[in-house]
PDB file of all heavy atoms in Angstrom:
ATOM      1  N   LYS A 350     -21.739  -1.480 -33.599  1.00  0.00           N
ATOM      2  CA  LYS A 350     -20.791  -0.983 -32.401  1.00  0.00           C
ATOM      3  C   LYS A 350     -19.328  -1.110 -32.873  1.00  0.00           C
ATOM      4  O   LYS A 350     -18.952  -1.608 -33.879  1.00  0.00           O
ATOM      5  CB  LYS A 350     -21.106  -1.779 -31.233  1.00  0.00           C
ATOM      6  CG  LYS A 350     -20.900  -3.311 -31.334  1.00  0.00           C
ATOM      7  CD  LYS A 350     -21.406  -4.080 -30.118  1.00  0.00           C
ATOM      8  CE  LYS A 350     -21.305  -5.659 -30.350  1.00  0.00           C
ATOM      9  NZ  LYS A 350     -21.794  -6.321 -29.032  1.00  0.00           N
ATOM     10  N   ASN A 355     -16.237  -6.481 -34.214  1.00  0.00           N
ATOM     11  CA  ASN A 355     -16.909  -5.892 -35.434  1.00  0.00           C
ATOM     12  C   ASN A 355     -15.840  -5.221 -36.279  1.00  0.00           C
ATOM     13  O   ASN A 355     -15.912  -5.359 -37.473  1.00  0.00           O
ATOM     14  CB  ASN A 355     -17.894  -4.855 -34.903  1.00  0.00           C
ATOM     15  CG  ASN A 355     -19.025  -5.470 -34.163  1.00  0.00           C
ATOM     16  OD1 ASN A 355     -18.913  -5.846 -33.012  1.00  0.00           O
ATOM     17  ND2 ASN A 355     -20.200  -5.395 -34.767  1.00  0.00           N
ATOM     18  N   ASP A 409      -3.405 -11.360 -31.115  1.00  0.00           N
ATOM     19  CA  ASP A 409      -3.030 -11.257 -32.511  1.00  0.00           C
ATOM     20  C   ASP A 409      -3.792 -10.333 -33.313  1.00  0.00           C
ATOM     21  O   ASP A 409      -3.274  -9.592 -34.146  1.00  0.00           O
ATOM     22  CB  ASP A 409      -3.205 -12.658 -33.077  1.00  0.00           C
ATOM     23  CG  ASP A 409      -2.107 -13.667 -32.567  1.00  0.00           C
ATOM     24  OD1 ASP A 409      -1.188 -13.179 -31.905  1.00  0.00           O
ATOM     25  OD2 ASP A 409      -2.196 -14.881 -32.898  1.00  0.00           O
ATOM     26  N   TRP A 417      -2.869  -2.458 -39.737  1.00  0.00           N
ATOM     27  CA  TRP A 417      -3.847  -1.926 -40.626  1.00  0.00           C
ATOM     28  C   TRP A 417      -4.023  -0.448 -40.453  1.00  0.00           C
ATOM     29  O   TRP A 417      -4.120   0.295 -41.386  1.00  0.00           O
ATOM     30  CB  TRP A 417      -5.205  -2.673 -40.414  1.00  0.00           C
ATOM     31  CG  TRP A 417      -6.233  -2.269 -41.413  1.00  0.00           C
ATOM     32  CD1 TRP A 417      -6.448  -2.769 -42.697  1.00  0.00           C
ATOM     33  CD2 TRP A 417      -7.344  -1.313 -41.176  1.00  0.00           C
ATOM     34  NE1 TRP A 417      -7.553  -2.099 -43.289  1.00  0.00           N
ATOM     35  CE2 TRP A 417      -8.081  -1.180 -42.362  1.00  0.00           C
ATOM     36  CE3 TRP A 417      -7.685  -0.475 -40.114  1.00  0.00           C
ATOM     37  CZ2 TRP A 417      -9.176  -0.384 -42.434  1.00  0.00           C
ATOM     38  CZ3 TRP A 417      -8.756   0.369 -40.183  1.00  0.00           C
ATOM     39  CH2 TRP A 417      -9.524   0.417 -41.336  1.00  0.00           C
ATOM     40  N   LEU A 574     -22.475  32.050 -15.567  1.00  0.00           N
ATOM     41  CA  LEU A 574     -21.378  32.953 -15.509  1.00  0.00           C
ATOM     42  C   LEU A 574     -20.420  32.526 -14.485  1.00  0.00           C
ATOM     43  O   LEU A 574     -20.697  32.126 -13.338  1.00  0.00           O
ATOM     44  CB  LEU A 574     -21.801  34.393 -15.147  1.00  0.00           C
ATOM     45  CG  LEU A 574     -22.672  35.094 -16.172  1.00  0.00           C
ATOM     46  CD1 LEU A 574     -23.187  36.432 -15.608  1.00  0.00           C
ATOM     47  CD2 LEU A 574     -21.957  35.420 -17.458  1.00  0.00           C
TER      48      LEU A 574
END
Side-chain angles (χ1 to χ4, degrees):
K350 54 185 178 180
N355 295 71
D409 288 350
W417 185 81
L574 294 174

